[in-house]
Amino acid sequence: MKNFKLNNQNISQFSEIVSIPKYDRSKVKTGIVHVGVGGFHRAHQALYTDQLLHDNSVTDWGICGVALLDFDQKIYNTLKDQDGLYTLILKELDGSLTRRVIGSIVEYLYAPENPMVVIEKMAHPDVKIISLTITEGGYNYNESTGEFEFKNPNIIHDLDNPKAPKTIFGFLTQALKLRKETDRSGVTIQSCDNIQGNGHITKKMVLSYIEVAAPEILTWVKNNVSFPNSMVDRITPVTSPLDISKLKEDTGIEDEWPVVCEPFKQWVIEDNFIAGRPQWENVEAQFVKNVEPYEKMKLSLLNAGHSILGILGALMGYTTIDESVSNASISNFLRIYMGNEVTPTLDNLNGINLKNYKHSLVQRFGNEYIKDQIDRICSQSSAKIPIFIIPTIKSQLKYKGSIKHAAFLIAAWAKYSLGKNQYGKELNIIDVMKESLNEKAILAKEKPEEFLELETIFSNLKNDPIFVSTYTNAYKNISAYGIQKSIIDINSTILNEI
């Protein structure tokens, strides 16, 4: 089979092999600027938009991808070389592969190279939506106070250098200022990150920054910018060299950075778009008045479940999530946690069969063809745990429910933060708080409560005697009996109680 580089010139070569865009990409205008063109965006929002663009009457909703950080230069170069095209690879539960070329990213910019070009694009009259996948840590708020963190060196830089910003807040402020000064219409800023109330948090953080950086536009922004909440879901592991080589071998497509994902996808969106929106509901997105129950379900079940499988699996020496869930004691731990500690905290979920949803999660986690790396799942746990796990603990404490498995996970995280698994092998911990976590984890060896002194993560939980006692007992059990036996023991205790 002859190989061809994926780009506009060669795309017709693949039409008999994989699904390719059937619409004329040259006629598609940019209506969305998306910041953070990583794997998840390309497996999710960009796919929904690509599907929508196959309706030839839809031409106003192309995506301009923005690489915001120096670290993002590789994805920018890849998209630039491939005219924005990339291959999406669905790994089905039976091991079969479904491949399609996505064409909805019609422009791509590298912010560090020319910040003003990005600002002007964000302010362009055709752009109705600025969407974000900037990870949980990108919203720059203090976990303990919920307030904007002005001490961040990059924020200080942006305040001093407004025309050459580094953060999303600096870019958004200058773009909104330009819109106001040129009497252009408002815009929707749409978060697609795994944060409960992501629209509310985005709004609070953006307005907090603007109040200091450009107070003269604050009223205009409040009246002309909307911030819808959303819930997004699709497991998207890191693309491996084998994925790239197999795509080339099977199809002849030379794609430098295809995206791998599971078959399942979900997108629930608050219908609050001040300047118009794509009809994503025509391609299976769900628009609702209130996203909160759905995002709470997803964050506290799927995302928390990922963290559980990642931390416990890492301690046992596993490297992928499917290996972790294949361990019966870990999968039982997860099922008990979801049923006994999370389910009581969830609200009414119209259109969702919760029992089926929880069952499907275990199946999805166990997809052996996804090979989602535990290192990826555990990365930046200091930003994830406060969002995925801590709210469940606080809710259960409030209503005197069980917190045994959640507290056990925190104890396991303290052990994980020591940096070695049960066999003494070094763990690859990727976290901006790695040093602080390790310092407290070392102190916790003598006094387990020391780990809870990380105020930005645990806030006032260190003062709750029930949580502290439950966590401390779990920590001591892990120290005494090891992670595997401790999991089996806690599962047996809960099952006996039930």
Side-chain angles (χ1 to χ4, degrees):
M1 179 181 296
K2 189 173 181 180
N3 299 324
F4 293 91
K5 181 178 176 62
L6 181 59
N7 55 32
N8 283 336
Q9 180 179 346
N10 295 331
I11 192 169
S12 61
Q13 303 287 340
F14 312 123
S15 60
E16 301 298 322
I17 304 168
V18 299
S19 174
I20 65 171
K22 301 296 196 300
Y23 50 91
D24 187 345
R25 298 177 72 229
S26 67
K27 294 181 179 179
V28 176
K29 293 193 301 183
T30 293
I32 302 167
V33 170
H34 183 82
V35 181
V37 191
F40 182 79
H41 167 69
R42 293 190 290 149
H44 195 266
Q45 184 191 18
L47 167 65
Y48 280 95
T49 305
D50 177 82
Q51 291 174 309
L52 187 63
L53 290 172
H54 278 84
D55 177 346
N56 289 326
S57 67
V58 178
T59 58
D60 295 338
W61 295 111
I63 298 171
C64 173
V66 173
L68 185 68
L69 308 175
D70 292 335
F71 176 80
D72 298 326
Q73 186 166 16
K74 180 181 177 182
I75 185 62
Y76 165 73
N77 288 338
T78 299
L79 288 173
K80 182 179 179 181
D81 291 344
Q82 296 181 180
D83 300 318
L85 297 168
Y86 63 93
T87 313
L88 185 64
I89 305 169
L90 275 64
K91 294 193 172 182
E92 309 287 352
L93 288 172
D94 64 1
S96 61
L97 302 175
T98 302
R99 302 173 173 117
R100 64 181 292 162
V101 175
I102 306 298
S104 53
I105 299 176
V106 294
E107 294 184 80
Y108 22 89
L109 300 173
Y110 182 50
E113 186 175 72
N114 196 331
M116 282 308 303
V117 170
V118 173
I119 291 167
E120 289 165 3
K121 175 55 67 173
M122 288 179 169
H124 195 282
D126 289 343
V127 172
K128 310 299 183 186
I129 298 170
I130 301 171
S131 54
L132 315 173
T133 47
I134 55 176
T135 75
E136 296 90 343
Y139 290 82
N140 194 55
Y141 63 92
N142 185 300
E143 289 289 349
S144 61
T145 66
E147 300 303 318
F148 192 81
E149 188 56 81
F150 280 100
K151 294 180 181 178
N152 181 332
N154 286 331
I155 295 298
I156 294 171
H157 170 275
D158 284 7
L159 290 171
D160 293 338
N161 303 275
K163 298 296 184 183
K166 293 183 177 181
T167 75
I168 184 61
F169 303 100
F171 279 99
L172 289 175
T173 297
Q174 292 305 308
L176 296 174
K177 186 176 182 181
L178 182 56
R179 279 181 177 269
K180 179 182 182 297
E181 290 173 347
T182 55
D183 199 27
R184 295 174 187 173
S185 63
V187 68
T188 295
I189 299 177
Q190 181 183 20
S191 171
C192 297
D193 279 299
N194 287 319
I195 302 175
Q196 191 167 355
N198 55 14
H200 295 323
I201 288 177
T202 304
K203 180 178 181 178
K204 181 178 180 179
M205 297 304 108
V206 169
L207 294 182
S208 295
Y209 181 84
I210 288 174
E211 192 169 10
V212 173
E216 70 276 11
I217 69 168
L218 189 61
T219 300
W220 184 90
V221 172
K222 289 180 179 179
N223 293 331
N224 292 277
V225 181
S226 62
F227 299 83
N229 292 300
S230 69
M231 184 270 269
V232 297
D233 189 1
R234 179 166 242 180
I235 296 172
T236 310
V238 174
T239 303
S240 72
L242 181 61
D243 294 320
I244 296 172
S245 62
K246 185 166 178 56
L247 174 66
K248 181 178 177 180
E249 178 184 337
D250 291 351
T251 67
I253 297 175
E254 294 185 10
D255 186 340
E256 293 299 317
W257 205 332
V259 181
V260 174
C261 64
E262 64 168 336
F264 181 92
K265 70 180 190 299
Q266 188 176 19
W267 197 8
V268 183
I269 313 166
E270 179 187 4
D271 203 352
N272 178 27
F273 290 73
I274 199 166
R277 64 167 177 81
Q279 291 182 296
W280 282 313
E281 66 268 36
N282 292 346
V283 288
E284 300 181 328
Q286 181 181 1
F287 284 93
V288 298
K289 290 183 179 179
N290 183 15
V291 173
E292 184 176 352
Y294 301 91
E295 62 186 359
K296 184 178 180 181
M297 174 193 75
K298 189 256 181 173
L299 293 170
S300 57
L301 290 173
L302 182 137
N303 295 111
H306 253 153
S307 291
I308 287 168
L309 296 172
I311 291 168
L312 300 185
L315 287 174
M316 287 196 185
Y318 300 133
T319 59
T320 62
I321 291 297
D322 63 289
E323 290 175 342
S324 184
V325 81
S326 69
N327 180 304
S329 60
I330 295 181
S331 59
N332 286 338
F333 182 103
L334 177 60
R335 288 186 179 95
I336 294 169
Y337 173 77
M338 292 193 297
N340 212 36
E341 300 185 21
V342 177
T343 298
T345 72
L346 300 179
D347 304 314
N348 293 329
L349 294 157
N350 293 330
I352 300 290
N353 183 314
L354 194 56
K355 181 179 179 180
N356 290 346
Y357 180 80
K358 289 184 287 188
H359 178 72
S360 74
L361 286 181
V362 179
Q363 285 187 314
R364 293 165 62 193
F365 291 145
N367 186 337
E368 62 183 290
Y369 302 101
I370 289 292
K371 295 297 177 191
D372 207 353
Q373 296 295 308
I374 280 177
D375 285 356
R376 183 186 82 87
I377 294 302
C378 290
S379 69
Q380 308 305 336
S381 287
S382 63
K384 294 174 180 178
I385 296 292
I387 298 169
F388 304 155
I389 306 291
I390 300 299
T392 295
I393 294 173
K394 289 182 175 180
S395 181
Q396 286 291 81
L397 286 170
K398 181 177 180 181
Y399 295 105
K400 296 181 171 55
S402 173
I403 59 164
K404 286 188 176 181
H405 280 57
F408 184 98
L409 178 70
I410 301 302
W413 186 34
K415 292 291 187 181
Y416 170 89
S417 298
L418 289 169
K420 292 185 178 181
N421 66 21
Q422 66 177 347
Y423 304 109
K425 184 178 178 181
E426 293 285 337
L427 294 169
N428 179 27
I429 297 179
I430 306 166
D431 201 302
V432 294
M433 290 187 64
K434 179 179 177 179
E435 291 184 5
S436 298
L437 289 164
N438 183 252
E439 289 173 3
K440 293 298 184 184
I442 291 171
L443 294 173
K445 292 168 70 175
E446 297 297 325
K447 186 180 179 183
E449 299 93 319
E450 286 288 341
F451 193 69
L452 305 180
E453 294 293 330
L454 292 159
E455 187 177 345
T456 58
I457 296 170
F458 299 110
S459 61
N460 62 350
L461 278 177
K462 67 179 181 180
N463 299 321
D464 188 290
I466 295 175
F467 171 72
V468 173
S469 174
T470 310
Y471 154 81
T472 302
N473 287 337
Y475 187 96
K476 290 178 178 177
N477 285 338
I478 296 172
S479 298
Y481 304 114
I483 187 68
Q484 174 77 38
K485 187 177 186 306
S486 298
I487 293 173
I488 293 172
D489 288 347
I490 194 174
N491 288 347
S492 299
T493 301
I494 296 296
L495 288 172
N496 288 338
E497 289 179 357
I498 293 172

